[in-house]
Amino acid sequence: FMVFCVLLFFFLFSCNSVSMEQTTEKDNLLIFRLNLRVYENKIRKTPDNYKLYYERGNYYCLSGYYDAALMDINKVLQMKPSYEEALLLRGIIFICKAQYKNALTDFAEALVLAPRDDRVYNNRACLYIQLGDLEKALHDIDAAIILNPKNDLYFKNKGQISYRMNDYENAVLNYSNAINLNPKNAETYFDRGNVYEILQRYDMALIDFYKAVKLKYRISDVYFHIGICCYHLQKYSDAID
C-alpha cells in the first residue's frame, strides 16, 4: 500500500503552457498539442537555447511520453553536459522506463556536480526502495533530510523505508514528522494508520483513517481499514456501516 515520492521539478509556466486541470480527455489531447506548438515555435526561433529543450522534455515527461522526453534531455546534455537539472530529470525518466542502472548513473553524476542537492538523494533513495536495497535507500534519505529537514516528503519516504524494514515504531515516528511538517497530506495519515493497524493500535489507526477520509483520500480503501479496526475494537455497528 506504500507509494514512494519522487520529486519532479517541471518548469511549464515559463513557456506559457495551457493548464490541463478540470478538462476532458479530448480537451487534454488538444491542450497537449497546443502546448507542444508553443515549445516548437520557441525552439524554432532560438534553437541554441538548451533550456527550451529541457522544458519541453519536462513537459513530455509529465505527459507520459518518456521516449520523446529522453530525446530532448539527451539534446540538452549534448549542448550543456554540466547541466545538473537535466541529469536529475533524465534519471527520473530512466526510472519511468525501468532503466534503473542508467538512472543510478545519472544520479551519481548529478551528485558530482551538486553534492548538496537533497533532491538527488531523495530520488536515488526512491529508486533503491524500488530495487529492494533498503540500506542504501535509508542512507540516501537520511542525507536528504540532513540537507533539507523541512521537507515532509523525505520523512514520508523514510517512513516507507522503515515500514519495509519491519521497523514499525520508526515508521510511525517518521510519518509523524512528515505530518507535523505537512498536516494536509491525506496519504501520510493513511500510511501511518496502516502501521498502527499492524501494531494493533486500532484506536490510533482509526484516528488517522478518519483524518484521511476528511482529506478525501481514496475513500473505499480507507473505509475497508476502518471496518477492520472497528471489528477489532468490537465496534460492530461501525464496522458494518
Side-chain angles (χ1 to χ4, degrees):
F1 60 85
M2 301 292 179
V3 179
F4 56 83
C5 302
V6 177
L7 290 184
L8 296 179
F9 289 83
F10 299 105
F11 298 96
L12 299 179
F13 301 109
S14 61
C15 276
N16 299 318
S17 300
V18 181
S19 174
M20 296 179 71
E21 295 180 359
Q22 297 181 336
T23 55
T24 66
E25 185 175 349
K26 184 177 180 180
D27 290 336
N28 284 343
L29 180 59
L30 176 61
I31 292 169
F32 173 73
R33 290 172 176 170
L34 288 172
N35 283 338
L36 280 184
R37 191 172 301 171
V38 171
Y39 289 113
E40 288 163 2
N41 288 337
K42 287 182 176 289
I43 288 172
R44 194 178 300 115
K45 292 177 181 177
T46 54
D48 296 328
N49 188 338
Y50 67 92
K51 288 190 176 180
L52 290 176
Y53 292 99
Y54 172 75
E55 290 170 1
R56 188 175 66 177
N58 255 326
Y59 186 62
Y60 274 129
C61 183
L62 178 65
S63 304
Y65 293 92
Y66 302 121
D67 289 336
L70 186 59
M71 289 180 63
D72 270 350
I73 300 307
N74 283 340
K75 174 78 172 176
V76 172
L77 289 169
Q78 287 173 4
M79 299 170 74
K80 191 172 180 62
S82 62
Y83 191 37
E84 186 237 346
E85 295 293 330
L87 284 168
L88 178 59
L89 178 57
R90 193 171 69 175
I92 293 169
I93 295 168
F94 280 138
I95 291 177
C96 295
K97 290 171 62 66
Q99 296 179 12
Y100 303 129
K101 190 174 292 186
N102 289 337
L104 286 173
T105 298
D106 275 357
F107 291 150
E109 289 184 22
L111 285 173
V112 171
L113 294 171
R116 295 188 60 80
D117 191 333
D118 51 282
R119 301 170 302 165
V120 185
Y121 285 106
N122 173 75
N123 291 351
R124 192 170 66 177
C126 293
L127 176 53
Y128 281 135
I129 293 173
Q130 194 158 328
L131 295 173
D133 195 335
L134 299 179
E135 292 294 340
K136 288 183 178 178
L138 185 61
H139 178 273
D140 272 358
I141 204 64
D142 279 339
I145 289 171
I146 289 171
L147 291 167
N148 186 359
K150 298 297 184 182
N151 192 310
D152 66 290
L153 292 180
Y154 297 169
F155 284 102
K156 185 177 186 299
N157 285 339
K158 187 173 181 179
Q160 291 170 17
I161 295 168
S162 298
Y163 166 80
R164 290 167 185 255
M165 298 177 81
N166 299 323
D167 185 0
Y168 300 124
E169 295 294 345
N170 272 320
V172 168
L173 176 63
N174 286 304
Y175 286 134
S176 297
N177 287 335
I179 288 169
N180 287 337
L181 289 168
N182 181 9
K184 294 185 178 181
N185 189 329
E187 187 175 59
T188 311
Y189 288 102
F190 180 71
D191 288 348
R192 189 175 68 176
N194 275 300
V195 179
Y196 278 136
E197 186 181 326
I198 291 170
L199 293 170
Q200 299 182 8
R201 299 180 195 168
Y202 300 114
D203 52 343
M204 299 296 292
L206 272 181
I207 293 172
D208 276 352
F209 290 142
Y210 281 127
K211 184 67 175 179
V213 168
K214 185 176 180 181
L215 292 170
K216 303 187 186 308
Y217 187 70
R218 301 182 332 224
I219 302 298
S220 59
D221 291 346
V222 180
Y223 273 112
F224 172 78
H225 288 278
I226 287 174
I228 291 174
C229 292
C230 288
Y231 174 80
H232 284 288
L233 291 170
Q234 299 182 356
K235 297 181 179 180
Y236 299 121
S237 60
D238 290 342
I240 294 171
D241 292 340

